[in-house]
């Protein structure tokens, strides 16, 4: 079996003390490829360095809505420079009405610009969306989209939108966090995702599984938040297999095909 992490943040400083052991342990855990997201200009050089160092790392560069206020005047040129430096995806980008003090107009401008760039270059794109599903759907409907499709990372949108989103080219990525009891609504939505559009992610170091499912525990941060080890990927697959009532092998084969369809060739 081979496992694919559709979305993580391996360059996050919370993982820095463990980076060597994470990379050296990947083979033993059959982790074949991981999409490592950069969320702002400060992130991008470190993501690039990781991708150059390890071919299993697929770099993804983008401006996350939480950080767009920090962007420089030359952010877009800068982004395009990273995109040609190494085969890469675009992300993490998105819309977020949950975060305090959001400026939706600015978010939409930066998101649309990046979506158009992904579409022009036919690059996979990793989309974050919190409490802005209606707007996201409207933008996706009217905007050019990458022919190979796009990824809704940690999809937490309404189940009723899955069909239309799929028709527009969406892949839906399941995080281990949705195994928490209170995430009923999200689990129910994932039962309705077409099997050929399902991806699996850790979003490490965020979105930890419930403690009883964690295989690779790490010490909490000083403020008591769990730190998710990316090798918990296999445990997220197990959760996905339970959720979709399928065998782990069968799920792994399906997710591999899906991953290669959207991220293939990079
Ligand atoms: Zn993320």
């Amino acid at each position: 079996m081979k496992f694919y992490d559709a979305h993580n943040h391996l360059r996050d400083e919370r993982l820095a003390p463990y980076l060597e052991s994470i990379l050296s342990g990947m083979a033993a855990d059959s982790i074949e490829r991981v999409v490592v997201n950069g969320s702002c200009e400060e992130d991008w050089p470190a993501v690039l360095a990781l991708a150059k160092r390890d071919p299993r790392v697929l770099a993804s560069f983008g401006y996350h809505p939480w950080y767009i206020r920090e962007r420089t005047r030359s952010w877009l040129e800068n982004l395009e420079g990273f995109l040609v430096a190494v085969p890469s995806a675009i992300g993490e980008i998105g819309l977020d009405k949950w975060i305090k003090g959001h400026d939706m107009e600015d978010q939409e401008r930066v998101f649309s610009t990046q979506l158009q760039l992904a579409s022009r270059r036919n690059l996979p794109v990793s989309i974050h969306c919190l409490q802005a599903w209606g707007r996201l759907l409207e933008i996706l409907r009217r905007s050019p989209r990458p022919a190979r499709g796009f990824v809704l990372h940690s999809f937490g949108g309404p189940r009723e939108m899955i069909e239309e989103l799929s028709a527009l080219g969406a892949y839906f990525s399941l995080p281990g966090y949705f195994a928490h009891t209170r995430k009923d609504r999200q689990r129910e939505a994932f039962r309705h995702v077409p099997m050929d559009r399902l991806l699996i992610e850790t979003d490490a170091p965020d979105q930890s599984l419930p403690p009883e499912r964690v295989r690779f525990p790490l010490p909490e941060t000083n403020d008591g938040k769990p730190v998710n080890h990316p090798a918990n990927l296999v445990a997220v697959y197990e959760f996905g297999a339970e959720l979709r009532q399928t065998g782990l092998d069968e799920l792994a084969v399906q997710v591999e095909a899906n991953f290669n369809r959207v991220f293939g060739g990079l």
Side-chain angles (χ1 to χ4, degrees):
M1 262 183 287
K2 292 178 189 166
F3 301 106
Y4 296 80
D5 192 343
H7 187 107
N8 79 20
H9 296 271
L10 198 49
R11 76 118 249 131
D12 191 285
E13 56 188 30
R14 286 169 288 170
L15 295 176
Y18 319 108
L19 185 61
E20 297 308 317
S21 74
I22 289 169
L23 292 173
S24 63
M26 277 172 65
D29 295 314
S30 307
I31 298 175
E32 190 76 4
R33 284 209 98 187
V34 296
V35 181
V36 176
N37 288 262
S39 305
C40 57
E41 281 164 291
E42 218 185 307
D43 264 7
W44 300 341
V47 172
L48 177 63
L50 265 177
K52 283 188 168 165
R53 175 183 168 181
D54 193 319
R56 296 169 300 181
V57 168
L58 201 169
S60 190
F61 305 105
Y63 242 110
H64 189 292
W66 292 357
Y67 308 112
I68 54 173
R69 250 190 232 129
E70 299 160 21
R71 71 191 188 277
T72 64
R73 280 166 166 270
S74 52
W75 73 273
L76 187 55
E77 259 178 273
N78 199 0
L79 175 58
E80 294 189 280
F82 278 93
L83 293 175
V84 296
V86 69
S88 46
I90 294 187
E92 154 172 16
I93 69 172
L95 299 179
D96 194 313
K97 276 192 189 161
W98 170 80
I99 194 84
K100 280 196 193 111
H102 54 260
D103 176 345
M104 283 319 283
E105 229 175 276
D106 201 33
Q107 283 194 20
E108 288 185 14
R109 196 161 34 231
V110 174
F111 173 72
S112 294
T113 302
Q114 295 179 98
L115 184 62
Q116 282 162 23
L117 184 60
S119 150
R120 252 193 334 268
R121 295 172 183 238
N122 192 22
L123 294 178
V125 56
S126 201
I127 300 177
H128 159 112
C129 183
L130 283 180
Q131 298 180 7
W133 290 100
R135 282 302 293 155
L136 181 69
L137 187 57
E138 282 169 34
I139 293 172
L140 288 169
R141 274 183 193 141
R142 61 155 204 247
S143 167
R145 301 172 303 275
R148 61 164 78 221
F150 56 89
V151 177
L152 300 172
H153 122 76
S154 293
F155 173 74
R159 174 185 142 184
E160 294 71 23
M161 279 189 190
I162 291 174
E163 201 178 333
E164 184 175 359
L165 286 167
S166 298
L168 292 170
Y171 285 77
F172 304 81
S173 182
L174 176 72
Y177 195 65
F178 290 174
H180 287 267
T181 319
R182 64 182 181 282
K183 293 288 166 185
D184 254 339
R185 185 184 64 77
Q186 287 83 347
R187 280 194 299 277
E188 183 52 21
F190 265 95
R191 289 193 187 97
H192 295 267
V193 165
M195 280 308 273
D196 64 351
R197 296 303 182 88
L198 179 65
L199 294 169
I200 305 283
E201 68 175 56
T202 61
D203 202 18
D206 292 315
Q207 302 222 57
S208 281
L209 288 147
E212 67 277 9
R213 288 182 182 265
V214 170
R215 294 256 196 96
F216 296 85
L218 288 174
E220 294 176 343
T221 54
N222 291 337
D223 54 359
K225 290 205 182 107
V227 179
N228 187 10
H229 192 300
N232 287 314
L233 178 64
V234 184
V236 186
Y237 268 76
E238 286 169 350
F239 160 55
E242 278 171 40
L243 188 65
R244 296 305 302 251
Q245 297 187 296
T246 176
L248 186 60
D249 295 45
E250 214 178 309
L251 180 75
V253 168
Q254 179 71 66
V255 170
E256 176 176 51
N258 300 346
F259 185 97
N260 287 331
R261 221 177 299 116
V262 66
F263 291 110
L266 295 174

